[in-house]
């Protein structure tokens, strides 16, 4: 997978590189997000102070927590 933030739409596109298509559009609550990914999960940091962990296999959010500033 490849994660492509789309700040103007407040979304993150999850792209299946092998299939060459967008698998899911994940809504975000801010246009200033950062993403980091591992083999099975990825995290999304919102500029509004939250961090969410997502599962690649189900493309579901597992948990969202406030991020200490």
């Amino acid at each position: 997978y490849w994660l492509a933030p789309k700040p103007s739409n407040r979304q993150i596109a999850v792209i299946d590189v092998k299939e060459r298509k967008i698998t899911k559009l994940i809504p975000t609550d801010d246009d200033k997000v950062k993403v980091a990914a591992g083999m099975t999960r990825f995290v999304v940091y919102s500029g509004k102070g939250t961090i969410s962990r997502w599962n690649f296999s189900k493309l579901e959010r597992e948990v969202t927590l406030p991020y200490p500033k």
Side-chain angles (χ1 to χ4, degrees), residues 10 28-35 44-52 67 69:
R10 291 189 173 191
T28 64
D29 61 354
D30 191 9
D31 57 355
K32 295 179 183 177
V33 297
K34 295 183 176 143
V35 295
V44 177
Y45 169 76
S46 166
K48 291 188 175 182
T50 61
I51 191 163
S52 301
Y67 188 80
K69 292 185 179 190

Side-chain angles (χ1 to χ4, degrees), residues 2-62:
W2 180 47
L3 300 171
K6 300 171 68 176
S8 60
N9 296 343
R10 291 189 173 191
Q11 296 176 326
I12 298 169
V14 180
I15 301 168
D16 186 329
V17 178
K18 186 176 179 183
E19 298 288 326
R20 291 190 251 176
K21 68 176 187 174
I22 295 175
T23 304
K24 183 169 184 144
L25 290 171
I26 296 172
T28 64
D29 61 354
D30 191 9
D31 57 355
K32 295 179 183 177
V33 297
K34 295 183 176 143
V35 295
M39 188 82 136
T40 60
R41 289 177 173 78
F42 63 97
V43 293
V44 177
Y45 169 76
S46 166
K48 291 188 175 182
T50 61
I51 191 163
S52 301
R53 183 179 66 211
W54 290 73
N55 186 309
F56 267 127
S57 63
K58 297 178 184 179
L59 290 178
E60 293 177 350
R61 185 178 321 175
E62 294 179 338

